[in-house]
Tab-separated table of all heavy atoms in Angstrom:
chain	number	residue	atom	x	y	z
A	203	SER	N	-1.279	17.440	-7.877
A	203	SER	CA	-1.816	18.158	-6.726
A	203	SER	C	-2.876	19.146	-7.072
A	203	SER	O	-3.643	19.560	-6.158
A	203	SER	CB	-0.577	18.981	-6.098
A	203	SER	OG	0.496	18.122	-5.628
A	204	LEU	N	-2.975	19.565	-8.401
A	204	LEU	CA	-4.120	20.288	-8.832
A	204	LEU	C	-5.426	19.569	-8.590
A	204	LEU	O	-6.376	20.142	-8.067
A	204	LEU	CB	-3.952	20.647	-10.253
A	204	LEU	CG	-2.810	21.529	-10.732
A	204	LEU	CD1	-2.703	21.714	-12.174
A	204	LEU	CD2	-2.848	22.956	-9.982
A	205	HIS	N	-5.495	18.335	-9.042
A	205	HIS	CA	-6.629	17.450	-8.858
A	205	HIS	C	-6.965	17.287	-7.216
A	205	HIS	O	-8.068	17.321	-6.874
A	205	HIS	CB	-6.526	16.126	-9.529
A	205	HIS	CG	-7.557	15.128	-9.188
A	205	HIS	ND1	-8.851	15.178	-9.675
A	205	HIS	CD2	-7.441	14.022	-8.363
A	205	HIS	CE1	-9.523	14.206	-9.147
A	205	HIS	NE2	-8.692	13.482	-8.342
A	206	GLN	N	-5.817	17.004	-6.591
A	206	GLN	CA	-6.035	16.758	-5.150
A	206	GLN	C	-6.558	17.930	-4.459
A	206	GLN	O	-7.588	17.801	-3.575
A	206	GLN	CB	-4.609	16.406	-4.558
A	206	GLN	CG	-4.710	16.019	-3.071
A	206	GLN	CD	-3.348	15.624	-2.522
A	206	GLN	OE1	-2.300	16.293	-2.803
A	206	GLN	NE2	-3.194	14.628	-1.625
A	207	ALA	N	-6.154	19.236	-4.705
A	207	ALA	CA	-6.682	20.415	-4.122
A	207	ALA	C	-8.047	20.573	-4.498
A	207	ALA	O	-9.006	20.960	-3.735
A	207	ALA	CB	-5.866	21.614	-4.468
A	208	HIS	N	-8.434	20.341	-5.765
A	208	HIS	CA	-9.872	20.589	-6.321
A	208	HIS	C	-10.757	19.595	-5.562
A	208	HIS	O	-11.726	19.897	-5.082
A	208	HIS	CB	-9.856	20.369	-7.783
A	208	HIS	CG	-11.127	20.831	-8.455
A	208	HIS	ND1	-11.278	20.880	-9.744
A	208	HIS	CD2	-12.294	21.271	-7.894
A	208	HIS	CE1	-12.526	21.384	-10.024
A	208	HIS	NE2	-13.132	21.540	-8.912
A	209	PHE	N	-10.291	18.274	-5.480
A	209	PHE	CA	-11.127	17.199	-4.940
A	209	PHE	C	-11.300	17.399	-3.427
A	209	PHE	O	-12.494	17.090	-2.918
A	209	PHE	CB	-10.457	15.871	-5.167
A	209	PHE	CG	-11.239	14.606	-4.851
A	209	PHE	CD1	-12.534	14.487	-5.407
A	209	PHE	CD2	-10.735	13.695	-4.133
A	209	PHE	CE1	-13.222	13.396	-5.196
A	209	PHE	CE2	-11.475	12.507	-3.885
A	209	PHE	CZ	-12.791	12.308	-4.421
A	210	LEU	N	-10.311	17.876	-2.761
A	210	LEU	CA	-10.378	18.030	-1.329
A	210	LEU	C	-11.457	19.104	-0.860
A	210	LEU	O	-11.735	19.215	0.300
A	210	LEU	CB	-9.016	18.346	-0.695
A	210	LEU	CG	-8.235	17.164	-0.413
A	210	LEU	CD1	-6.754	17.530	-0.182
A	210	LEU	CD2	-8.730	16.436	0.838
A	211	THR	N	-11.976	19.947	-1.717
A	211	THR	CA	-13.066	20.930	-1.370
A	211	THR	C	-14.282	20.066	-0.923
A	211	THR	O	-15.222	20.747	-0.357
A	211	THR	CB	-13.366	21.772	-2.634
A	211	THR	OG1	-13.756	20.982	-3.634
A	211	THR	CG2	-12.138	22.654	-2.995
A	212	GLU	N	-14.357	18.857	-1.172
A	212	GLU	CA	-15.503	18.031	-0.592
A	212	GLU	C	-15.342	17.892	0.893
A	212	GLU	O	-16.262	17.516	1.632
A	212	GLU	CB	-15.493	16.559	-1.164
A	212	GLU	CG	-15.905	16.645	-2.682
A	212	GLU	CD	-17.374	16.722	-2.799
A	212	GLU	OE1	-18.187	15.839	-2.586
A	212	GLU	OE2	-17.854	17.889	-3.213
A	213	TRP	N	-14.143	18.118	1.470
A	213	TRP	CA	-13.916	17.923	2.824
A	213	TRP	C	-13.609	19.161	3.689
A	213	TRP	O	-13.532	19.060	4.858
A	213	TRP	CB	-12.770	16.942	3.020
A	213	TRP	CG	-13.152	15.480	2.796
A	213	TRP	CD1	-13.522	14.570	3.756
A	213	TRP	CD2	-13.106	14.828	1.555
A	213	TRP	NE1	-13.747	13.390	3.145
A	213	TRP	CE2	-13.517	13.437	1.755
A	213	TRP	CE3	-12.719	15.081	0.288
A	213	TRP	CZ2	-13.538	12.480	0.767
A	213	TRP	CZ3	-12.786	14.231	-0.763
A	213	TRP	CH2	-13.224	12.852	-0.475
A	214	GLY	N	-13.350	20.270	3.044
A	214	GLY	CA	-13.048	21.527	3.650
A	214	GLY	C	-12.772	22.645	2.877
A	214	GLY	O	-12.890	22.659	1.597
A	215	GLU	N	-12.228	23.650	3.570
A	215	GLU	CA	-11.828	24.925	2.817
A	215	GLU	C	-10.315	24.728	2.490
A	215	GLU	O	-9.491	24.683	3.401
A	215	GLU	CB	-12.104	26.141	3.762
A	215	GLU	CG	-11.569	27.426	3.134
A	215	GLU	CD	-11.632	28.523	4.129
A	215	GLU	OE1	-12.449	28.392	5.273
A	215	GLU	OE2	-10.889	29.611	3.992
A	216	VAL	N	-10.032	24.711	1.232
A	216	VAL	CA	-8.699	24.186	0.782
A	216	VAL	C	-7.813	25.389	0.240
A	216	VAL	O	-8.217	26.250	-0.347
A	216	VAL	CB	-8.884	23.278	-0.388
A	216	VAL	CG1	-7.487	22.843	-0.946
A	216	VAL	CG2	-9.708	22.118	0.045
A	217	THR	N	-6.482	25.312	0.625
A	217	THR	CA	-5.433	26.170	0.220
A	217	THR	C	-4.430	25.326	-0.556
A	217	THR	O	-3.933	24.331	0.127
A	217	THR	CB	-4.754	26.940	1.309
A	217	THR	OG1	-5.738	27.797	1.894
A	217	THR	CG2	-3.578	27.848	0.825
A	218	LEU	N	-4.095	25.596	-1.705
A	218	LEU	CA	-3.086	24.916	-2.444
A	218	LEU	C	-1.735	25.730	-2.182
A	218	LEU	O	-1.465	26.859	-2.580
A	218	LEU	CB	-3.246	24.936	-3.908
A	218	LEU	CG	-2.152	24.328	-4.820
A	218	LEU	CD1	-1.868	22.854	-4.352
A	218	LEU	CD2	-2.421	24.377	-6.256
A	219	LEU	N	-0.739	25.092	-1.449
A	219	LEU	CA	0.571	25.550	-1.209
A	219	LEU	C	1.495	25.136	-2.367
A	219	LEU	O	2.075	24.043	-2.352
A	219	LEU	CB	1.098	25.008	0.227
A	219	LEU	CG	0.106	25.425	1.432
A	219	LEU	CD1	0.186	24.343	2.380
A	219	LEU	CD2	0.322	26.678	1.892
A	220	VAL	N	1.764	25.983	-3.299
A	220	VAL	CA	2.486	25.697	-4.549
A	220	VAL	C	3.888	25.217	-4.227
A	220	VAL	O	4.449	24.251	-4.802
A	220	VAL	CB	2.416	26.890	-5.499
A	220	VAL	CG1	3.207	26.529	-6.685
A	220	VAL	CG2	0.987	27.172	-5.897
A	221	ASN	N	4.508	25.981	-3.355
A	221	ASN	CA	5.803	25.639	-2.816
A	221	ASN	C	6.870	25.361	-3.923
A	221	ASN	O	7.810	24.427	-3.846
A	221	ASN	CB	5.815	24.450	-1.916
A	221	ASN	CG	7.087	24.261	-0.990
A	221	ASN	OD1	7.562	25.281	-0.490
A	221	ASN	ND2	7.417	23.082	-0.728
A	222	GLN	N	6.794	26.044	-5.042
A	222	GLN	CA	7.762	25.912	-6.177
A	222	GLN	C	7.736	24.513	-6.809
A	222	GLN	O	8.624	24.174	-7.454
A	222	GLN	CB	9.124	26.331	-5.769
A	222	GLN	CG	9.240	27.693	-5.147
A	222	GLN	CD	10.614	28.111	-4.780
A	222	GLN	OE1	11.281	27.398	-4.051
A	222	GLN	NE2	11.091	29.254	-5.139
A	223	ALA	N	6.693	23.780	-6.499
A	223	ALA	CA	6.690	22.326	-7.081
A	223	ALA	C	6.025	22.253	-8.407
A	223	ALA	O	6.045	21.206	-9.086
A	223	ALA	CB	5.873	21.453	-6.101
A	224	LEU	N	5.272	23.332	-8.854
A	224	LEU	CA	4.598	23.304	-10.186
A	224	LEU	C	4.464	24.735	-10.665
A	224	LEU	O	4.410	25.737	-9.807
A	224	LEU	CB	3.356	22.464	-10.172
A	224	LEU	CG	2.151	23.087	-9.472
A	224	LEU	CD1	0.889	22.333	-9.856
A	224	LEU	CD2	2.256	22.940	-7.955
A	225	SER	N	4.193	24.928	-11.922
A	225	SER	CA	3.999	26.195	-12.447
A	225	SER	C	2.437	26.409	-12.911
A	225	SER	O	1.943	25.549	-13.736
A	225	SER	CB	4.830	26.423	-13.687
A	225	SER	OG	4.602	27.668	-14.261
A	226	LEU	N	1.778	27.238	-12.309
A	226	LEU	CA	0.336	27.344	-12.602
A	226	LEU	C	0.044	28.358	-13.702
A	226	LEU	O	0.529	29.500	-13.582
A	226	LEU	CB	-0.353	27.746	-11.332
A	226	LEU	CG	-0.430	26.838	-10.044
A	226	LEU	CD1	-1.105	27.446	-8.918
A	226	LEU	CD2	-1.032	25.525	-10.468
A	227	GLY	N	-0.547	27.918	-14.756
A	227	GLY	CA	-0.858	28.900	-15.804
A	227	GLY	C	-2.274	29.590	-15.475
A	227	GLY	O	-2.916	29.213	-14.430
A	228	ALA	N	-2.642	30.444	-16.318
A	228	ALA	CA	-3.883	31.188	-16.032
A	228	ALA	C	-5.112	30.310	-15.998
A	228	ALA	O	-6.020	30.443	-15.203
A	228	ALA	CB	-4.053	32.295	-17.235
A	229	GLU	N	-5.137	29.273	-16.878
A	229	GLU	CA	-6.229	28.366	-16.828
A	229	GLU	C	-6.318	27.543	-15.570
A	229	GLU	O	-7.302	27.358	-14.970
A	229	GLU	CB	-6.167	27.420	-18.001
A	229	GLU	CG	-7.395	26.514	-18.179
A	229	GLU	CD	-7.341	25.656	-19.438
A	229	GLU	OE1	-6.441	25.984	-20.335
A	229	GLU	OE2	-8.031	24.742	-19.573
A	230	ASP	N	-5.161	27.078	-15.046
A	230	ASP	CA	-5.140	26.376	-13.826
A	230	ASP	C	-5.631	27.244	-12.640
A	230	ASP	O	-6.391	26.780	-11.810
A	230	ASP	CB	-3.722	25.934	-13.511
A	230	ASP	CG	-3.147	24.919	-14.476
A	230	ASP	OD1	-4.011	24.157	-15.019
A	230	ASP	OD2	-1.995	24.854	-14.771
A	231	ARG	N	-5.162	28.488	-12.539
A	231	ARG	CA	-5.568	29.348	-11.500
A	231	ARG	C	-7.095	29.652	-11.538
A	231	ARG	O	-7.752	29.609	-10.531
A	231	ARG	CB	-4.783	30.683	-11.561
A	231	ARG	CG	-3.336	30.497	-11.234
A	231	ARG	CD	-2.526	31.817	-11.241
A	231	ARG	NE	-1.125	31.646	-10.998
A	231	ARG	CZ	-0.641	31.554	-9.586
A	231	ARG	NH1	-1.606	31.880	-8.651
A	231	ARG	NH2	0.631	31.413	-9.405
A	232	SER	N	-7.572	29.848	-12.733
A	232	SER	CA	-8.980	30.119	-12.840
A	232	SER	C	-9.862	28.947	-12.429
A	232	SER	O	-10.857	29.097	-11.684
A	232	SER	CB	-9.297	30.409	-14.296
A	232	SER	OG	-10.722	30.544	-14.556
A	233	MET	N	-9.455	27.655	-12.828
A	233	MET	CA	-10.175	26.517	-12.333
A	233	MET	C	-10.151	26.405	-10.826
A	233	MET	O	-11.215	26.053	-10.210
A	233	MET	CB	-9.448	25.257	-12.990
A	233	MET	CG	-10.190	23.911	-12.629
A	233	MET	SD	-9.518	23.141	-11.196
A	233	MET	CE	-7.898	22.637	-11.745
A	234	LEU	N	-8.952	26.516	-10.218
A	234	LEU	CA	-8.867	26.443	-8.793
A	234	LEU	C	-9.719	27.434	-8.057
A	234	LEU	O	-10.414	27.163	-7.077
A	234	LEU	CB	-7.393	26.465	-8.358
A	234	LEU	CG	-6.503	25.380	-8.763
A	234	LEU	CD1	-5.002	25.611	-8.481
A	234	LEU	CD2	-6.926	24.026	-7.963
A	235	GLU	N	-9.560	28.665	-8.463
A	235	GLU	CA	-10.294	29.767	-7.846
A	235	GLU	C	-11.807	29.552	-8.015
A	235	GLU	O	-12.573	29.905	-7.132
A	235	GLU	CB	-9.841	31.136	-8.501
A	235	GLU	CG	-8.429	31.452	-7.912
A	235	GLU	CD	-7.863	32.672	-8.800
A	235	GLU	OE1	-8.551	33.111	-9.704
A	235	GLU	OE2	-6.720	33.043	-8.579
A	236	HIS	N	-12.312	29.155	-9.181
A	236	HIS	CA	-13.636	28.819	-9.477
A	236	HIS	C	-14.199	27.802	-8.460
A	236	HIS	O	-15.318	27.907	-7.945
A	236	HIS	CB	-13.955	28.426	-10.922
A	236	HIS	CG	-15.402	28.280	-11.211
A	236	HIS	ND1	-16.214	29.247	-11.369
A	236	HIS	CD2	-16.042	27.109	-11.433
A	236	HIS	CE1	-17.397	28.805	-11.617
A	236	HIS	NE2	-17.312	27.476	-11.685
A	237	ALA	N	-13.308	26.907	-8.124
A	237	ALA	CA	-13.652	25.776	-7.188
A	237	ALA	C	-13.562	26.134	-5.728
A	237	ALA	O	-13.890	25.448	-4.813
A	237	ALA	CB	-12.751	24.586	-7.308
A	238	GLY	N	-13.146	27.443	-5.464
A	238	GLY	CA	-13.096	27.885	-4.138
A	238	GLY	C	-11.671	27.591	-3.508
A	238	GLY	O	-11.537	27.706	-2.221
A	239	VAL	N	-10.695	27.179	-4.220
A	239	VAL	CA	-9.278	26.976	-3.679
A	239	VAL	C	-8.563	28.191	-3.647
A	239	VAL	O	-8.432	28.965	-4.615
A	239	VAL	CB	-8.654	25.894	-4.528
A	239	VAL	CG1	-7.215	25.617	-4.094
A	239	VAL	CG2	-9.439	24.573	-4.513
A	240	THR	N	-7.985	28.477	-2.460
A	240	THR	CA	-7.004	29.521	-2.275
A	240	THR	C	-5.731	29.189	-2.802
A	240	THR	O	-5.221	27.920	-2.440
A	240	THR	CB	-6.929	29.993	-0.880
A	240	THR	OG1	-8.313	30.396	-0.364
A	240	THR	CG2	-5.961	31.147	-0.590
A	241	ILE	N	-4.964	29.942	-3.471
A	241	ILE	CA	-3.573	29.557	-3.984
A	241	ILE	C	-2.599	30.347	-3.173
A	241	ILE	O	-2.642	31.675	-3.035
A	241	ILE	CB	-3.488	29.986	-5.429
A	241	ILE	CG1	-4.511	29.126	-6.332
A	241	ILE	CG2	-2.007	29.646	-5.958
A	241	ILE	CD1	-4.617	29.535	-7.727
A	242	GLU	N	-1.662	29.710	-2.652
A	242	GLU	CA	-0.582	30.337	-1.859
A	242	GLU	C	0.796	30.014	-2.617
A	242	GLU	O	1.205	28.899	-2.638
A	242	GLU	CB	-0.457	29.746	-0.389
A	242	GLU	CG	0.653	30.296	0.415
A	242	GLU	CD	0.613	31.862	0.447
A	242	GLU	OE1	-0.342	32.421	1.073
A	242	GLU	OE2	1.651	32.469	-0.054
A	243	ASP	N	1.371	31.097	-3.097
A	243	ASP	CA	2.572	30.902	-3.871
A	243	ASP	C	3.853	31.014	-3.062
A	243	ASP	O	4.951	30.555	-3.523
A	243	ASP	CB	2.570	31.989	-4.943
A	243	ASP	CG	1.605	31.751	-6.073
A	243	ASP	OD1	1.619	30.702	-6.790
A	243	ASP	OD2	0.741	32.613	-6.352
A	244	ALA	N	3.834	31.597	-1.871
A	244	ALA	CA	5.052	31.683	-1.126
A	244	ALA	C	5.535	30.388	-0.696
A	244	ALA	O	4.800	29.512	-0.215
A	244	ALA	CB	4.749	32.664	0.223
A	245	PRO	N	6.865	30.111	-0.955
A	245	PRO	CA	7.456	28.849	-0.533
A	245	PRO	C	7.361	28.634	0.945
A	245	PRO	O	7.288	29.468	1.710
A	245	PRO	CB	8.941	28.994	-1.016
A	245	PRO	CG	8.899	30.088	-1.960
A	245	PRO	CD	7.844	31.008	-1.545
Side-chain angles (χ1 to χ4, degrees):
S203 300
L204 296 176
H205 169 74
Q206 188 179 37
H208 195 174
F209 191 51
L210 274 163
T211 57
E212 290 285 283
W213 282 270
E215 179 186 339
V216 178
T217 296
L218 174 62
L219 302 150
V220 179
N221 198 38
Q222 300 178 314
L224 70 165
S225 177
L226 294 180
E229 186 175 342
D230 294 327
R231 290 180 180 273
S232 176
M233 181 271 291
L234 291 169
E235 290 168 357
H236 183 73
V239 176
T240 300
I241 300 171
E242 177 55 64
D243 290 302

